[in-house]
């Protein structure tokens, strides 16, 4: 379903042959760098704010529109060719895409020396160019099933615009609206792509014949409920509609995940990581309900979504896509993948569950979670960047 056809040979360096290569490299390195900076700001307090953004605002924005957008861009600039049969940017055009993303990530690190407006310009230009790069081939090929991807990218662009307009006081509450719109649109994208790939990968990857349970009515209900949840969270967080929709999503997504379970996944790290990531999204909706009803921190739900739906799901997908599209055996991943996934799962446990049980040491748990995140992505860079910067192992183009 997403096994991507490779382009014809070109004179480009290997790391610019397909979109996943530069953007997965950038995402992994930035995951290490940005979390190290955030740890130095909080809880270590050895760095001061980078620019006019509050540190927590910078952290939230860069996890959504920096790290997650890099993974999304890398995936789509690769996968759309398979969906449509049309060539996607490579070589110099791909390099320019990547440099725009990179500049937007690095400019804030210059602190007060570089106006935030420069960062905003690079960031929004990158996203504005990404939309037609994906939309044009999808529309030309009349790939109606994937029109939703164009809508997702457009909403992410609107969210990032709202963020910067809020920073400059043009749109009241724009910063919060932009962050949460982008955040939950990415979670919706994770649910959509998870529905496509998790049962597909599981049935073909466990090593025995199995047919997983899916429900057509559930497939129709979840997108509508996600639209309702996002609207409620943006404009009436913690309200009765938010609680009800989040509770229904907890039950329905839990039912879907139960239908996808088969014991063979636990012998395959590239499978169980996707199931655990999806499970953390379910936990996120449950904690959203609990936060409204019991008064626990709403940031526990946010980090269940972030570490599961964004962190663990994207790490698992990058590990699989990188193997398959560099000509390696997806059924024989590097032995380090299990440690990558365990470390990032541990980061989620430390950031979401342990503070519920032992809240007195909250700062310690945050710091250990950050360390686990950094180590997980450091392992990815160590084992996967050599694959991403060299030609395919099977000698094929791509």
């Amino acid at each position: 379903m997403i096994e991507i056809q490779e382009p014809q040979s070109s004179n480009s360096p290997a790391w610019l042959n397909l979109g996943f290569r530069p953007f997965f490299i950038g995402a992994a390195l930035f995951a290490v760098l940005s979390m190290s900076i955030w740890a130095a700001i909080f809880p270590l307090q050895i760095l001061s704010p980078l620019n006019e953004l509050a540190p927590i605002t910078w952290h939230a924005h860069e996890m959504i529109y920096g790290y997650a957008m890099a993974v999304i861009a890398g995936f789509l600039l690769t996968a759309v060719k398979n969906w449509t049969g049309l060539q996607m940017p490579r070589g110099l055009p791909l390099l320019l895409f990547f440099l725009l993303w990179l500049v937007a990530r690095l400019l804030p690190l210059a602190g007060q020396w570089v106006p935030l407006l420069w960062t905003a310009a690079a960031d929004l230009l990158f996203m504005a160019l990404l939309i037609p790069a994906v939309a044009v081939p999808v529309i030309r090929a009349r790939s109606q099933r994937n029109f939703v991807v164009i809508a997702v990218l457009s909403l992410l662009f609107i969210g990032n615009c709202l963020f910067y307009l809020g920073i400059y006081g043009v749109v009241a509450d724009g910063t919060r609206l932009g962050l949460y719109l982008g955040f939950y649109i990415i979670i919706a994208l994770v649910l959509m792509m998870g529905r496509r790939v998790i049962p597909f990968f599981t049935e073909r990857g466990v090593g025995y014949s199995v047919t997983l349970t899916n429900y057509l009515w559930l497939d129709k209900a979840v997108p509508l409920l996600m639209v309702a949840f996002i609207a409620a969270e943006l404009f009436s967080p913690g309200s009765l509609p938010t609680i009800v929709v989040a509770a229904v999503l907890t039950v329905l997504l839990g039912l879907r995940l139960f239908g996808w379970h088969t014991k063979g996944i636990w012998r395959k790290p590239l499978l169980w990581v996707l199931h655990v990531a999806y499970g953390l999204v379910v936990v996120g909706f449950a904690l959203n309900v609990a936060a409204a009803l019991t008064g626990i921190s709403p940031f526990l739900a946010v980090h269940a979504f972030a570490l599961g739906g964004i962190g663990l799901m994207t790490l698992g997908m990058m590990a699989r896509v990188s193997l398959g599209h560099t000509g390696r055996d997806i059924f024989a991943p590097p032995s380090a993948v299990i440690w990558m996934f365990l470390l990032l799962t541990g980061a989620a446990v430390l950031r979401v569950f342990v503070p519920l049980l032992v809240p007195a040491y909250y700062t310690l748990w945050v710091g250990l979670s950050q360390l686990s995140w950094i180590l997980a992505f450091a392992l990815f860079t160590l084992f996967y960047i050599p694959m991403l910067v060299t030609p395919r192992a099977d000698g094929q183009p791509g």
Side-chain angles (χ1 to χ4, degrees):
M1 180 166 53
I2 65 165
E3 295 303 317
I4 300 161
Q5 299 172 13
E6 308 298 354
Q8 300 300 312
S9 60
S10 74
N11 295 323
S12 303
W15 71 283
L16 292 175
N17 278 346
L18 280 172
F20 77 95
R21 288 177 177 266
F23 280 103
F24 286 6
I25 293 170
L29 290 173
F30 187 66
V32 174
L33 175 63
S34 61
M35 192 60 72
S36 298
I37 293 171
W38 177 232
I41 296 172
F42 177 82
L44 297 179
Q45 299 184 350
I46 58 177
L47 277 184
S48 56
L50 302 170
N51 52 25
E52 54 260 53
L53 293 181
I56 194 169
T57 303
W58 170 82
H59 168 62
H61 181 268
E62 291 306 285
M63 288 296 100
I64 299 165
Y65 294 106
Y67 168 76
M69 273 307 305
V71 180
I72 292 169
F75 178 80
L76 291 179
L77 289 173
T78 307
V80 167
K81 183 181 188 300
N82 187 61
W83 298 344
T84 66
L86 300 174
Q87 184 60 58
M88 297 300 291
R90 55 178 173 151
L92 182 58
L94 179 57
L95 177 62
L96 294 177
F97 268 109
F98 178 69
L99 288 178
L100 274 174
W101 172 86
L102 183 62
V103 166
R105 310 285 69 82
L106 296 182
L107 284 180
L109 305 186
Q112 305 296 334
W113 294 98
V114 177
L116 182 62
L117 185 62
W118 293 13
T119 300
D123 207 12
L124 294 176
L125 181 59
F126 160 67
M127 296 184 69
L129 293 175
L130 180 64
I131 293 171
V134 170
V136 169
V138 168
I139 293 171
R140 283 179 57 193
R142 299 180 183 178
S143 181
Q144 295 184 7
R145 184 189 186 197
N146 295 303
F147 282 3
V148 66
V149 173
I150 303 171
V152 165
L153 289 178
S154 300
L155 287 170
L156 287 171
F157 177 70
I158 291 169
N160 211 10
C161 288
L162 283 172
F163 172 83
Y164 287 112
L165 290 172
I167 291 295
Y168 284 103
V170 178
V171 175
D173 204 26
T175 302
R176 184 191 69 85
L177 290 173
L179 288 176
Y180 278 97
L181 177 60
F183 183 68
Y184 286 121
I185 287 296
I186 291 172
I187 297 302
L189 180 62
V190 165
L191 292 176
M192 181 183 75
M193 298 308 297
R195 171 61 184 89
R196 291 189 187 187
V197 304
I198 294 176
F200 179 82
F201 289 164
T202 301
E203 289 178 347
R204 287 154 182 77
V206 291
Y208 52 84
S209 179
V210 62
T211 301
L212 304 180
T213 303
N214 287 294
Y215 303 95
L216 181 60
W217 62 268
L218 198 155
D219 294 340
K220 294 180 177 179
V222 168
L224 297 175
L225 288 166
M226 274 304 299
V227 171
F229 175 78
I230 293 170
E233 271 289 278
L234 289 180
F235 301 110
S236 188
S239 66
L240 181 60
T242 307
I243 297 170
V244 171
V245 176
V248 173
L249 280 168
T250 301
V251 174
L252 295 188
L253 295 175
L255 176 65
R256 171 183 279 177
L257 189 61
F258 180 80
W260 290 347
H261 183 265
T262 179
K263 62 183 181 180
I265 64 171
W266 302 109
R267 296 193 295 270
K268 308 284 186 177
L270 290 177
L271 292 180
W272 68 249
V273 66
L274 303 180
H275 288 256
V276 171
Y278 204 94
L280 283 168
V281 174
V282 179
V283 170
F285 285 110
L287 288 174
N288 185 279
V289 175
L293 296 180
T294 69
I296 64 171
S297 172
F299 289 108
L300 296 176
V302 167
H303 283 88
F305 287 130
L307 286 160
I310 295 179
L312 201 56
M313 185 69 77
T314 54
L315 184 62
M317 288 301 298
M318 286 195 296
R320 183 187 182 96
V321 169
S322 298
L323 289 173
H325 299 299
T326 59
R328 290 168 173 82
D329 186 358
I330 60 172
F331 299 109
S335 58
V337 297
I338 190 169
W339 296 108
M340 290 159 38
F341 300 155
L342 287 174
L343 280 165
L344 202 50
T345 302
V349 171
L350 287 163
R351 185 63 185 84
V352 176
F353 299 104
V354 177
L356 277 173
L357 301 175
V358 192
Y361 298 96
Y362 173 79
T363 301
L364 174 62
W365 310 137
V366 171
L368 290 175
S369 177
Q370 291 168 331
L371 178 61
S372 295
W373 169 287
I374 292 166
L375 291 174
F377 281 96
L379 279 176
F380 182 90
T381 64
L382 181 64
F383 284 88
Y384 275 85
I385 287 183
M387 304 180 197
L388 296 169
V389 299
T390 54
R392 286 177 57 107
D394 57 7
Q396 297 297 312

